[in-house]
């Protein structure tokens, strides 16, 4: 939906966007990969306004931060 502007499940083009953020104590939509909010990566969401399907995206510039974390594992 991020790239196609179209829901892959129902075909709707009614797509909503929720920008990821990190608030106090790690609230918000993010991935915590360390002990503090300084080790949080924001997760953006795209929501289908018709069927409710949701896609989640970490910003590409943050991927290496996750890869270096001991809490994040590579799927074998
Ligand atoms: Zn849909």
């Amino acid at each position: 939906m991020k790239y196609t502007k179209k829901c892959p499940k129902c075909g709707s083009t009614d797509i909503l966007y929720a920008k990821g953020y990190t608030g106090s104590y790690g609230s918000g939509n993010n991935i915590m990969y360390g002990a503090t909010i300084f080790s949080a990566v924001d997760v953006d969401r795209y929501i289908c306004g018709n069927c409710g399907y949701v896609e989640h995206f970490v910003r590409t510039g943050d991927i290496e931060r996750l890869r270096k974390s001991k809490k994040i594992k590579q799927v074998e």
Side-chain angles (χ1 to χ4, degrees):
M1 294 191 283
K2 178 179 180 180
Y3 301 108
T4 63
K5 314 295 186 222
K6 186 175 174 183
C7 178
K9 301 298 181 186
C10 75
S12 174
T13 54
D14 178 13
I15 307 299
L16 307 176
Y17 171 67
K19 187 175 188 211
Y21 71 97
T22 301
S24 58
Y25 304 106
S27 65
N29 196 36
N30 56 62
I31 296 172
M32 299 287 289
Y33 64 88
T36 72
I37 62 169
F38 298 107
S39 53
V41 167
D42 295 339
V43 178
D44 298 324
R45 287 180 284 188
Y46 295 81
I47 306 110
C48 175
N50 182 54
C51 75
Y53 178 74
V54 180
E55 282 183 347
H56 304 251
F57 283 87
V58 166
R59 294 165 200 154
T60 54
D62 288 333
I63 293 172
E64 288 307 311
R65 291 172 64 200
L66 294 173
R67 193 185 305 280
K68 290 172 183 165
S69 168
K70 292 186 175 75
K71 289 188 175 180
I72 305 295
K73 304 297 182 199
Q74 180 79 42
V75 174
E76 304 284 333

